Amino acid sequence: MARETELMTFAEELAREAGELAHRRRAEGVDIAATKSTLADIVTAADREVEQLIRERIAAERPDDGFVGEEFDALRGRSGVTWVVDPIDGTVNYAGGSPFYAVSIAAVEGEPRPREWMALAGVVHAPALGETFRAARGEGAFLDGRRLAVAEPHAAGALVATGFGYDPATHAGDLATLARVFVHARDIRRTGSASLDLASVAAGRVDAYYERGLSPWDHAAGALLVTEAGGVVSWADVASARPMIIAAAPTVHATLTDVLV
Ligand code: IPD
Ligand code: CA
């Protein structure tokens, strides 16, 4: 089995076990454990418990690999492979009882920094939706058994997903950008989970997704899903504090980039 496929298979095992734990904890009831960057940026006890579980499993199975996760300090590895993990992407949805949350796990090679790493495998597993998206580099992207392909262009314009950070100070600027995009779009979506937005581009459920200020774990797995489904992922404003990811089918990507950049 190719190394990428092996990593994807392991990532899927981890994501399913972690998803089961998140789902069970959700059913038991969720308390906000703390707030992070702003009052709107919450963390639940489940976020931490799920990341801990994933870390332990990786440490046991692949002790030389590095780890970058949302909830705890990064760990530098020796093997050249780093796991980039969001234990619960869509925490606000999760805490509120919405099913739009996912465990996002990627294995990357090289410096564990966005735009410098090369993603080898990625899994986005949404336990409450019963959906598992997976990709291995060079092997395509799949939703359960079905091979994924980004959408064909639509005569009425693109269906564009986006998101906003937790800092209210950035909302006015983001809304001004959205107003520019909306003129060219068929409609707009905001699900509250970046990994599922990227998975939706890969599956052709939306035509495009862009957002400023994502963290590495928000996009590591989802971006590989998009490129393996025939889409394009690029970055704008990389020198700023909030670089923008733009992910879409190739023709839509070109049009959207003209509007955004
Ligand atoms: C957030 C979600 C949201 C996006 C934010 C992310 P979290 O991740 O992906 O859709 O708009 O930028 O921080 O906090 O739920 O893991
Ligand atoms: Ca996240």
Side-chain angles (χ1 to χ4, degrees), residues 36 41-42 47 70-71 86-93 162-166 190-197 209 211-215 217-218:
K36 299 194 284 187
D41 187 5
I42 57 170
D47 290 81
E70 174 153 24
E71 309 303 341
D86 197 338
I88 299 178
D89 180 47
T91 300
V92 173
N93 290 344
T162 189
F164 312 97
Y166 291 114
R190 197 296 189 250
T191 68
S193 165
S195 62
L196 285 174
D197 287 331
Y209 164 70
E211 182 166 347
R212 281 189 186 281
L214 290 184
S215 297
W217 40 82
D218 296 322

Side-chain angles (χ1 to χ4, degrees), residues 122-186:
V123 172
V124 175
H125 171 58
L129 300 174
E131 291 191 323
T132 308
F133 300 85
R134 67 175 84 77
R137 185 175 193 83
E139 302 291 330
F142 294 83
L143 166 55
D144 301 318
R146 185 167 62 86
R147 195 180 184 110
L148 299 178
V150 293
E152 293 297 326
H154 194 288
L159 187 59
V160 181
T162 189
F164 312 97
Y166 291 114
D167 182 359
T170 62
H171 290 169
D174 286 350
L175 285 174
T177 305
L178 182 61
R180 287 209 316 274
V181 171
F182 212 160
V183 176
H184 302 271
R186 178 155 46 110

